[in-house]
Amino acid sequence: MSSYTRVALVTGANKGIGFAIARDLCREFPGDVVLTARDEARGRAAVQQLQAEGLSPRFHQLDIDDLQSIRALRDFLRKEYGGLNVLVNNAGIAFNTDDPTPFDIQAEMTLKTNFFATRNVCTELLPIVKPHGRVVNVSSSQGSQALENCSEDLQEKFRCETLTEEDLVDLMKKFVEDTKNEVHEREGWPNSAYGVSKLGVTVLSRILARRLEEKRKADRILLNACCPGWVKTDLGGAHASRTVEEGAETPVYLALLPPDATEPHGQLVRDKVVQNW
């Protein structure tokens, strides 16, 4: 047996849903919990807040938009823990609906963080996830809504069981290009950069889960996307219907699936229930 302590990691965990997930994992996960944040001061303040509650998370800086930052975290996890047991990809951004930033800039920035940076974290950290590991990508039912608002041709592509990661990356790049050229509606895209970014996260989760099934079946790693619901955060706004604690429930449930669990895997889960795709 490995002598390493088990470790769970949450990205974007200094506030909001990420902070609530880190708090719950500190209470329930049998091992160390690493809280990450882009801003070191805010991350350390969040750790102090949890310490004041009698919990003991660790802090590591992580800017998911910076590949070097992701790799530094990977090297830390390898050295300290010999890998990773639980990964919760929570970090993400959204523009307010009344933000005057041009739509093409919003699209580029939102996809850069929510899709491309999340994909980079998966690319760097999935290889060090240990057997029976759990990976949770925080997505949104706005992604499913975006899919419904795509043209039939695009819906077919996103739903295709043989869609590759490269194909998906090309589709996400095309959305950004089409917004720049002001043809995204004509090309069948919806008017929600956030929705398209989360559609990408959900489809990426399906593709990565399928690859784990092919390449590492014996390791029984479970990887899912989830929708935390509409939560009162900086991102969700004050009128949202759920508290951050309620928003954390499904991600934490997926992160703590028992070692003998075989499902869900490659699914979108909301309120602990697999959603139709």
Side-chain angles (χ1 to χ4, degrees):
M1 283 296 286
S2 161
S3 60
Y4 286 111
T5 305
R6 287 166 55 79
V7 61
L9 180 125
V10 187
T11 71
N14 60 291
K15 63 177 182 178
I17 297 169
F19 181 74
I21 293 169
R23 175 193 272 140
D24 281 354
L25 288 176
C26 283
R27 289 172 178 156
E28 298 176 49
F29 177 73
D32 285 357
V33 176
V34 178
L35 178 156
T36 72
R38 185 176 49 192
D39 183 296
E40 181 146 354
R42 287 179 186 162
R44 293 198 182 279
V47 164
Q48 283 178 340
Q49 194 179 329
L50 292 177
Q51 285 170 341
E53 295 174 22
L55 303 170
S56 49
R58 295 189 68 176
F59 174 72
H60 199 287
Q61 193 272 342
L62 172 66
D63 177 358
I64 69 167
D65 284 330
D66 177 358
L67 196 52
Q68 291 317 110
S69 177
I70 298 170
R71 288 178 174 161
L73 174 66
R74 177 201 63 196
D75 295 346
F76 161 80
L77 291 167
R78 265 209 195 114
K79 182 168 166 284
E80 291 273 317
Y81 298 100
L84 182 58
N85 301 97
V86 170
L87 169 61
V88 181
N89 277 313
N90 165 75
I93 65 162
F95 284 84
N96 290 328
T97 42
D98 57 357
D99 193 298
T101 307
F103 187 66
D104 63 315
I105 306 292
Q106 290 195 26
E108 185 171 24
M109 290 177 70
T110 305
L111 268 76
K112 180 189 175 200
T113 298
N114 293 2
F115 177 75
F116 291 103
T118 297
R119 174 178 175 247
N120 286 341
V121 174
C122 290
T123 302
E124 298 298 329
L125 297 189
L126 273 183
I128 67 165
V129 172
K130 296 181 180 184
H132 303 286
R134 304 289 178 249
V135 180
V136 185
N137 293 327
V138 178
S139 188
S140 169
S141 35
Q142 285 193 43
S144 312
Q145 213 174 325
L147 180 65
E148 296 302 326
N149 293 332
C150 282
S151 65
E152 281 185 21
D153 177 50
L154 281 172
Q155 287 190 35
E156 205 172 297
K157 285 177 177 165
F158 281 119
R159 286 197 170 107
C160 176
E161 287 298 322
T162 54
L163 186 77
T164 66
E165 193 175 344
E166 290 68 31
D167 294 336
L168 176 60
V169 164
D170 288 344
L171 281 167
M172 294 286 112
K173 284 180 176 168
K174 185 177 188 308
F175 170 67
V176 175
E177 267 319 292
D178 288 348
T179 62
K180 278 191 170 39
N181 298 324
E182 297 182 356
V183 296
H184 68 281
E185 287 179 85
R186 199 175 75 212
E187 291 292 314
W189 295 102
N191 265 322
S192 169
Y194 183 77
V196 172
S197 75
K198 291 302 192 178
L199 168 59
V201 170
T202 301
V203 176
L204 178 67
S205 302
R206 290 160 63 82
I207 291 167
L208 295 176
R210 198 168 67 222
R211 190 183 304 154
L212 284 168
E213 199 65 16
E214 289 162 8
K215 302 263 169 70
R216 296 183 63 183
K217 194 174 174 63
D219 286 344
R220 294 175 69 166
I221 295 164
L222 297 180
L223 183 153
N224 292 286
C226 70
C227 172
W230 187 26
V231 179
K232 286 184 180 69
T233 59
D234 291 353
L235 196 150
H239 300 298
S241 52
R242 296 186 176 193
T243 64
V244 288
E245 288 74 21
E246 288 167 332
E249 279 176 18
T250 294
V252 170
Y253 156 74
L254 292 170
L256 298 176
L257 286 168
D260 57 349
T262 55
E263 56 185 25
H265 184 50
Q267 303 292 344
L268 175 65
V269 182
R270 182 182 169 129
D271 295 330
K272 304 181 187 176
V273 177
V274 170
Q275 304 298 293
N276 289 332
W277 181 249

